């Protein structure tokens, strides 16, 4: 019987080939007979496959496709394909959609007068040398557009018409840290206990394009000295309260309230008033913020406090060893930060970290400006002059890689002017120099002075050397900055370092990185400052080398702080060596794949050598982190902590981060906890999140509880919401859901959505989900399987359909527990049938959630 069927098939095929050869002179069109699909298969009537009968032809309909523009992936879109009346099926591309993809439709004469929301007839006639190709097998729509027809900055920014001001929302970022330190009595000093708490909140309200923001910092320190003389210090400070919105027509921002001026031209000035400035975020990325990285070395579970302009801007706890803090809010683009490290044994180290932006360079014709009017709002003294002032600055790019910049600041009894230039030196880096001339009247006496600044930056890719910043500034004796003018004569706040009010004479800072390929990398960071009126000199130097050999990492770091004052030159030096060995070198156990054995040795300027050894690692998709260390040292003095134990545990979740640390020795015990995260109240409800930045995205995917967003660090909650905490401003952000992590009964119509948030916006990324059963159905009609290519659709839901494969099998998702299906295989009224299904009593397979069911389709 089987031989007979094969013979029949071969006979029919040969007859068809002979017939087609005989007709080749009459017709040039290739034709595939759909009856060949059902020869000898016992299937029902032949399906109408006319849409597929022409080679390379796309059937009309709507497809979820990946857009490829000039070989660049632009994300997924639902595109309608229709017939052009000439036998071709083409995608429906509107001028607005082409503009979203980066085509400069506003500058092309061929698009003038065309309806923006109506499909164009032929792209090639509008843009010569363009090409449209649809790869049906991979669902990729490829556009090739001449570069002259594209936006010159496309890929770095988006068409302003796509910028989204977002939804009304309330936002809150929080940073909490607290600790308790107990020290036992020694050498006649009674035991004592210190408790501290820091709460940092950044709140905001969004309404259309308006953004209301405010910071609140609360600090509390309790101390019990052991003699019953308990002390408490607490301070609550509200700062940076302002109302802001963007002015897109001017590519600028306007702000009313408390903030800081920029530091490209003048030193950053804290103020309360109004500011209008150009917005680099609306420009391409390659024409564009800076906050410094704070690095240091902790000898125990230490508290790190960072303050600026008299207020604490950040506080956290760090584990023993080298640390880096790289998530500071941007509080002006330059200035001095005071870093205080409080060790578990009560010892304190403090230093200043000055930072500046890189040399100011703009392209030819580029412009950057700021106009500010208000009142000085500094905070390092108990009070100040709080002078009213007006400030204006301008930066302009000239040909030949030259940038000019300057500005003026005017106040009662004070005025200053600055002028400077930056130039690109090609292979020799970038260099800028400027001079500030200031006149101040203090206590009835006029003071005139100058301050000169030079800056340099260069990356030598061929040698792996990066000079991140080298800057030098010198100020004459009678030069007063605007901050000096406002603070001189007033009492310094008690929480400030003693030299905060001293006028700086000169400052030098340098940061250099050197890569050695497989031999590791080295960094050097240093600064030197001296002051008028005293002999104090502050010197800071950090030097480090890191290398990874055979999966084992080694690090060597040296730091020195020296303060010369009154003939003394106290210094604090630390040399640290650390080594980390992965357990994966000795075992393939998945639980230990991210675990390491760690050793660290620290030698300080007092001759104290402290060693620590233990384990560190992460687990549960890197959400859980842990460290356990045992330490010992060579300090034989009475009351010293000979042996120490430190434990740290952290958790990073979709709704925030929390970590805790514990330290113990014969001299002290310490316990601390840090937590940070965010909260967003939006029209869909209240969603908890990780700490977020300037613009955030609310993912809205109903019934998708636990679905991974982007790289998996964020997951949707039980209501299908999630917060993507950091979005690029005024650019395309592709928000992606991982379909493999969807609940078993949920399916996506598309896995990515593009959003374009403005500054401070809360934008929505809405995903259409289908909730229901997944089923593999075997459907028969008149005793035979439905033929290949039959379209099966859920009744009353035309968007939920599937195509029958071999043996009458079809896979459909998003099905209700029961309902009806409509099968169509032709154009006639009789080329269809219907069937009812009930999946509520059908069990899913052991390995997946797909239910299998055989159905009988009834019809004429």
């Amino acid at each position: 019987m089987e031989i007979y069927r094969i013979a029949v098939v071969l006979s029919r095929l040969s007859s068809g080939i002979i017939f087609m050869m005989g007709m080749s002179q009459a017709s040039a069109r290739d034709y595939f007979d759909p009856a060949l699909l059902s020869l000898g298969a016992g299937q029902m009537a032949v399906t109408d496959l006319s849409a597929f009968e022409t080679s390379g032809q796309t059937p009309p309909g709507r497809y979820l496709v990946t857009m490829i523009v000039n070989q660049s992936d632009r994300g997924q879109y639902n595109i309608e394909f229709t017939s052009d009346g000439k036998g071709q099926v083409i995608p429906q591309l509107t001028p607005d959609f082409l503009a979203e993809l980066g085509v400069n439709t506003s500058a092309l004469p061929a698009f003038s007068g065309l309806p923006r929301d109506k499909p164009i007839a032929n792209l090639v006639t509008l843009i010569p040398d363009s090409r449209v190709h649809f790869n049906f097998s991979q669902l990729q729509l490829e556009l090739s557009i001449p570069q002259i027809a594209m936006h010159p900055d496309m890929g770095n920014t988006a068409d302003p018409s796509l910028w989204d001001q977002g939804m009304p929302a309330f936002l809150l970022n929080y940073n909490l840290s607290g600790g308790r330190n107990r020290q036992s009595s020694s050498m006649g000093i009674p035991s004592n206990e210190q408790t501290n708490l820091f709460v940092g909140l950044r709140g905001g309200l969004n309404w259309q394009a308006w953004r209301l923001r405010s910071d609140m910092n609360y600090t509390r320190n309790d101390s019990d000295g052991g003699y019953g003389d308990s002390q408490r210090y607490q301070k609550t400070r509200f700062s940076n309260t302002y109302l802001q919105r963007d002015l897109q027509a001017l590519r600028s921002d306007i702000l009313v309230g408390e903030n800081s001026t920029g530091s490209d031209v003048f030193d950053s000035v804290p103020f309360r008033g109004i500011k209008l400035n150009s917005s680099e975020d609306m420009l391409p990325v390659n024409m564009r913020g800076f906050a410094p990285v704070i690095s240091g070395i902790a000898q125990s579970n230490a508290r790190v406090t960072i303050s600026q302009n008299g207020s604490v801007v950040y506080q956290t706890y760090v584990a023993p060893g080298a640390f880096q803090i790289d998530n500071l809010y941007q509080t002006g683009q330059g200035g001095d930060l005071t870093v205080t490290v409080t060790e578990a044994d009560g010892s304190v180290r403090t230093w200043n970290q000055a930072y500046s932006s890189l040399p100011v360079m703009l392209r030819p014709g580029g412009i950057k400006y700021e106009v500010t009017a208000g009142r000085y709002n500094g905070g390092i003294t108990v009070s100040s002059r709080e002078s009213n002032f007006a400030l204006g600055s301008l930066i302009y790019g000239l040909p030949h890689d030259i940038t000019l910049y300057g500005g003026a600041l005017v106040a009662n009894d004070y005025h200053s002017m600055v002028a400077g230039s930056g130039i690109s030196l090609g292979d020799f880096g970038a260099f800028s120099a400027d001079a500030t001339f200031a006149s101040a009247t203090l206590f009835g006496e006029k003071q005139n002075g100058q301050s000169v600044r030079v800056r340099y930056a260069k990356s030598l890719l061929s040698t792996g050397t990066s000079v991140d910043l080298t800057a030098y500034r010198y100020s004459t004796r009678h030069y007063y900055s605007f901050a000096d003018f406002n603070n001189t004569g007033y009492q310094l706040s008690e929480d400030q370092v003693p030299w905060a009010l001293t006028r700086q004479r000169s400052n030098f800072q340098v940061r250099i990185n050197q890569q050695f390929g497989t031999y590791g990398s080295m960094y050097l960071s240093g600064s030197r400052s001296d002051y008028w009126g005293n002999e104090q000199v502050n010197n800071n130097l950090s030097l480090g080398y890191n290398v990874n050999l055979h999966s084992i990492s080694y690090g060597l770091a040296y730091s020195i702080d020296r303060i010369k004052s009154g003939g003394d030159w106290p210094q604090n030096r630390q040399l640290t060596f650390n080594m980390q060995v992965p357990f994966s070198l000795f075992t393939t156990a998945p639980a230990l794949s991210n675990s390491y054995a760690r050793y660290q040795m620290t030698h300080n300027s007092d001759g104290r050598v402290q060693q620590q050894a233990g384990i560190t690692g992460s687990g549960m998709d890197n959400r859980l982190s842990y460290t356990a260390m045992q330490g010992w040292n060579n300090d034989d003095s009475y009351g010293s902590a000979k042996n120490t134990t430190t434990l740290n545990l952290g958790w990073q979740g979709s709704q925030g981060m929390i970590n805790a640390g514990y330290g113990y020795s014969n001299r002290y015990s310490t316990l601390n906890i840090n937590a940070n995260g965010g909260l967003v109240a939006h029209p869909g409800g209240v969603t908890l999140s990780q700490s977020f930045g300037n613009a955030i995205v609310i993912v809205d995917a109903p019934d998708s509880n636990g679905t991974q967003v982007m790289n998996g660090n964020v997951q949707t909650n039980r209501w299908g919401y999630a917060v993507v905490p950091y979005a690029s401003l005024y650019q395309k952000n592709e928000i992606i859901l991982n379909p493999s992590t969807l609940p078993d009964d949920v399916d996506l119509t598309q896995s990515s959505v593009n959003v374009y948030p403005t500054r401070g916006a809360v934008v929505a990324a809405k995903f259409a989900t289908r909730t229901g059963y997944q089923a593999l159905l075997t459907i028969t009609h008149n005793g035979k399987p439905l033929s290949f290519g039959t379209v099966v659709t859920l009744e009353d839901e035309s968007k939920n359909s599937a195509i029958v494969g071999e043996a009458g099998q079809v896979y459909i998702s998003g099905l209700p527990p029961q309902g009806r299906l409509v099968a169509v295989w032709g154009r006639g009224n009789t080329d269809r049938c219907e069937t009812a299904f009930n999946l509520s009593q059908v069990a899913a397979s052991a390995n997946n959630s797909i239910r299998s069911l055989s159905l009988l389709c009834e019809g004429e």
Side-chain angles (χ1 to χ4, degrees), residues 330-375:
Q330 184 174 325
T331 54
Q333 297 180 5
D336 289 339
L337 296 177
T338 301
V339 184
T340 302
V341 178
T342 305
E343 299 286 355
D345 61 3
S347 61
V348 177
R349 302 194 313 278
T350 300
W351 71 88
N352 273 17
Q353 178 159 332
Y355 71 99
S356 303
S357 59
L358 293 176
V360 182
M361 298 297 299
L362 293 180
R363 294 183 178 187
I367 188 169
K368 185 178 179 181
Y369 71 90
E370 177 183 343
V371 178
T372 301
R375 175 177 295 179

Side-chain angles (χ1 to χ4, degrees), residues 145-322:
I145 309 292
Q147 197 62 36
I148 195 173
M150 300 291 292
H151 280 288
D153 53 7
M154 192 55 203
N156 301 311
T157 189
D159 191 302
S161 64
L162 301 173
W163 293 346
D164 189 353
Q165 297 289 5
M167 65 184 78
F170 168 77
L171 307 91
L172 181 68
N173 255 345
Y174 63 87
N175 177 32
L176 312 175
S177 68
R180 172 171 293 181
N181 183 284
R182 293 177 178 174
Q183 298 181 15
S184 59
S185 59
S186 65
M187 302 182 66
I189 301 177
S191 61
N192 60 83
E193 180 177 300
Q194 299 88 33
T195 304
N196 59 80
L197 173 67
F198 173 79
V199 179
L201 302 177
R202 168 167 284 189
L205 285 171
N206 284 9
W207 177 256
Q208 296 180 354
W210 293 98
R211 318 284 185 241
L212 177 64
R213 299 289 186 268
S214 184
D215 295 345
M216 190 280 285
N217 292 326
Y218 172 76
T219 304
R220 172 175 167 174
N221 295 302
D222 294 319
S223 177
D224 184 356
Y227 293 108
D229 55 343
S230 300
Q231 295 181 349
R232 171 174 292 179
Y233 168 83
Q234 60 181 352
K235 182 178 181 180
T236 302
R237 177 183 172 91
F238 289 88
S239 61
N240 289 330
T241 301
Y242 60 82
L243 184 66
Q244 182 186 43
R245 68 156 296 160
D246 59 8
L247 303 175
Q248 296 180 9
L250 300 177
R251 302 249 171 168
S252 303
D253 294 321
I254 187 169
L255 178 149
V256 180
E258 298 175 331
N259 205 254
S260 297
T261 65
S263 64
D264 290 324
V265 178
F266 285 99
D267 289 337
S268 184
V269 176
F271 73 91
R272 182 184 290 116
I274 183 170
K275 176 173 71 171
L276 174 67
N277 63 281
S278 55
S279 174
E280 286 187 317
D281 294 320
M282 298 186 196
L283 299 175
V285 175
N286 57 0
M287 295 180 67
R288 311 187 163 167
F290 173 77
V293 175
I294 305 298
S295 59
I297 301 172
Q299 297 180 351
S300 61
N301 279 350
R303 184 173 83 249
V304 179
T305 304
I306 302 171
S307 59
Q308 184 181 44
N309 291 326
S311 63
V312 176
V313 297
Y314 190 87
Q315 182 173 282
T316 190
Y317 284 88
V318 297

Side-chain angles (χ1 to χ4, degrees), residues 547-605:
V547 66
N548 193 306
L549 298 176
H550 306 292
S551 300
I552 301 176
S553 61
Y554 304 87
L556 187 65
Y558 176 78
S559 68
I560 180 171
D561 305 318
R562 305 182 69 168
I563 302 176
K564 179 181 179 181
S565 180
D568 298 326
W569 195 283
Q571 60 183 346
N572 175 54
R573 293 175 296 171
Q574 288 191 102
L575 177 65
T576 298
F577 169 77
N578 64 75
M579 180 175 66
Q580 191 164 273
V581 182
F583 286 153
S584 59
L585 286 177
F586 314 104
T587 178
T588 58
L592 297 177
S593 60
N594 290 321
S595 297
Y596 305 85
R598 180 179 172 187
Y599 170 79
Q600 176 178 299
M601 183 275 294
T602 301
H603 185 286
N604 66 16
S605 52

Side-chain angles (χ1 to χ4, degrees), residues 132-153:
V132 181
H133 173 68
F134 183 43
N135 188 330
F136 186 70
S137 62
Q138 298 185 14
L139 289 178
Q140 289 184 345
L141 181 56
E142 302 170 2
L143 300 186
S144 176
I145 309 292
Q147 197 62 36
I148 195 173
M150 300 291 292
H151 280 288
D153 53 7

Side-chain angles (χ1 to χ4, degrees), residues 343-417:
E343 299 286 355
D345 61 3
S347 61
V348 177
R349 302 194 313 278
T350 300
W351 71 88
N352 273 17
Q353 178 159 332
Y355 71 99
S356 303
S357 59
L358 293 176
V360 182
M361 298 297 299
L362 293 180
R363 294 183 178 187
I367 188 169
K368 185 178 179 181
Y369 71 90
E370 177 183 343
V371 178
T372 301
R375 175 177 295 179
Y376 180 80
N377 192 40
I380 67 170
T381 53
V382 176
S383 182
S384 72
R385 285 182 174 77
E386 297 185 352
S387 299
N388 295 321
F389 72 96
L391 177 150
S393 65
L394 179 67
I395 308 172
Y396 186 70
L398 296 174
H400 308 296
D401 298 328
I402 298 175
T403 299
L404 296 181
Y405 57 95
L409 188 156
V410 179
N412 189 28
D413 292 331
Y414 182 92
H415 63 269
S416 63
M417 297 182 64

Side-chain angles (χ1 to χ4, degrees), residues 51-74:
F52 301 92
E53 67 185 15
T54 303
S55 174
Q57 183 68 52
T58 300
R62 177 173 288 271
Y63 300 93
L64 178 64
V65 304
T66 300
M67 293 297 308
I68 307 295
V69 180
N70 292 342
Q71 300 182 349
S72 175
D73 188 339
R74 297 298 171 85

